[in-house]
Amino acid sequence: MAIHEQIDNLNIWWFPRDFCQSRFGEFQQSGTNSCTLISLILADKVSKAERFYHRVSNMPPRGLELFGNAMNDGNKVYHNVISANTPHVRNLNLNIPDAIAAIRSQHKINFRLEEWFYTHMEADTSSPMYNRNVAMQLSRIFQITLQVFQQAIGQVAPTQLFAAIIADSRTVMVTFDFRVSIVALFDSHQHGRDAGAVFAQCTLQNMDDLLFWFISMLHNVYSSRPALFEISFLSSQPGVAKHIPPAIKKIAGDLKKPTKNYVAS
């Protein structure tokens, strides 16, 4: 169903154009602004799936099923909660806390993820090295955060971490699976006239490749060079937010510094 593309260490699957949030499932009419809901629901489903990831060269065996269910569930939540409660507002974009609250109001989903912490990153859109600079800065944020997360949780060895990236009014989900050392990205939007949603994955050590591809894809598909990236880290660890203060305060200021003077090495 999906077209597989390999770029160096990165594996990408492009789905048909009808397999995206605005064209798939019973509630597709709500898909215009459901990406934040879909991304969070997908991460929650992945966190509950036993050994979702296997090999970077193969799509997860349950990938198509979970992606489709997440899109339909996200669109359904938008239809039942957002559209129903704000009928006078069209195409309402959601932040992470509001999206989590909307999902948790639908008890059948049994949403278990908790937000760990939020940060943001500014980017110099005039830089000729924009793609490389932004990818490297995002990679730095993720690498530091993964280290802090594994230290902050303490004796309980964490297995997964999730990061919702919001840029140019689009939300995508990045998942980190420490058991198999895989990082993956799911984007439920339509990509051009011929492709629907897209899924990409590689090993954690090749995360730079994934992020450079993501930033390049935004430009190639949407002509988008976001000036601001909002990143929300989430975990299924109960009470995860309690582990933030001493661990993250030391680096939070650095994470939020603008990247206008950042130079790729």
Side-chain angles (χ1 to χ4, degrees), residues 9-10 183 202-211:
N9 301 301
L10 180 64
V183 55
C202 63
T203 61
L204 283 173
Q205 68 184 39
N206 293 310
M207 180 165 54
D208 289 1
D209 293 346
L210 174 67
L211 295 173

Side-chain angles (χ1 to χ4, degrees), residues 146-161 176-179 235-237 240:
L146 293 180
Q147 294 173 3
V148 171
F149 178 68
Q150 291 174 300
Q151 295 170 0
I153 296 304
Q155 295 181 350
V156 180
T159 58
Q160 295 172 308
L161 183 65
F176 304 91
D177 192 315
F178 304 118
R179 296 165 296 185
S235 171
S236 60
Q237 295 278 351
V240 67

Side-chain angles (χ1 to χ4, degrees), residues 16-265:
R17 66 176 185 174
D18 288 337
F19 191 74
C20 67
Q21 64 186 55
S22 58
R23 291 174 174 265
F24 178 79
E26 181 181 357
F27 297 92
Q28 59 182 262
Q29 73 276 4
S30 298
T32 303
N33 289 76
S34 298
C35 55
T36 304
L37 296 166
I38 292 168
S39 296
L40 292 171
I41 290 172
L42 174 66
D44 187 63
K45 290 181 182 294
V46 171
S47 75
K48 296 172 183 173
E50 186 174 349
R51 302 305 294 252
F52 180 70
Y53 295 103
H54 292 265
R55 298 176 56 190
V56 293
S57 57
N58 300 111
M59 184 187 298
R62 295 187 59 200
L64 184 64
E65 174 191 353
L66 260 65
F67 299 156
N69 288 343
M71 286 192 288
N72 205 44
D73 287 351
N75 286 344
K76 184 177 181 180
V77 172
Y78 197 97
H79 176 271
N80 290 346
V81 180
I82 309 304
S83 296
N85 292 332
T86 57
H88 58 289
V89 180
R90 296 187 62 187
N91 301 331
L92 179 67
N93 287 321
L94 299 176
N95 59 33
I96 297 297
D98 288 346
I100 290 176
I103 296 169
R104 285 185 174 157
S105 72
Q106 306 298 290
H107 302 295
K108 289 184 179 180
I109 295 179
N110 188 27
F111 187 81
R112 299 189 307 188
L113 293 186
E114 296 182 20
E115 188 174 31
W116 182 35
F117 83 98
Y118 158 90
T119 188
H120 70 269
M121 186 190 84
E122 297 176 27
D124 180 5
T125 59
S126 65
S127 170
M129 295 289 290
Y130 173 89
N131 289 2
R132 181 62 63 186
N133 286 358
V134 172
M136 292 183 67
Q137 186 73 348
L138 280 175
S139 180
R140 172 179 169 271
I141 289 175
F142 286 151
Q143 288 169 3
I144 293 174
T145 302
L146 293 180
Q147 294 173 3
V148 171
F149 178 68
Q150 291 174 300
Q151 295 170 0
I153 296 304
Q155 295 181 350
V156 180
T159 58
Q160 295 172 308
L161 183 65
F162 304 92
I165 302 178
I166 304 176
D168 200 12
S169 299
R170 299 183 187 90
T171 303
V172 302
M173 181 56 67
V174 178
T175 69
F176 304 91
D177 192 315
F178 304 118
R179 296 165 296 185
V180 289
S181 190
I182 287 178
V183 55
L185 183 149
F186 179 71
D187 183 346
S188 59
H189 300 90
Q190 183 173 342
H191 293 80
R193 290 182 295 180
D194 299 323
V198 63
F199 172 75
Q201 65 179 8
C202 63
T203 61
L204 283 173
Q205 68 184 39
N206 293 310
M207 180 165 54
D208 289 1
D209 293 346
L210 174 67
L211 295 173
F212 181 72
W213 167 82
F214 168 60
I215 300 302
S216 300
M217 182 271 290
L218 291 179
H219 182 259
N220 294 337
V221 174
Y222 303 114
S223 299
S224 175
R225 278 192 165 195
L228 179 69
F229 291 81
E230 300 174 83
I231 309 164
S232 177
F233 292 95
L234 306 110
S235 171
S236 60
Q237 295 278 351
V240 67
K242 297 178 182 178
H243 298 280
I244 298 177
I248 214 66
K249 280 185 178 179
K250 296 178 181 178
I251 64 169
D254 288 336
L255 291 185
K256 293 184 180 181
K257 285 181 180 176
T259 60
K260 291 184 178 180
N261 296 322
Y262 186 77
V263 179
S265 59

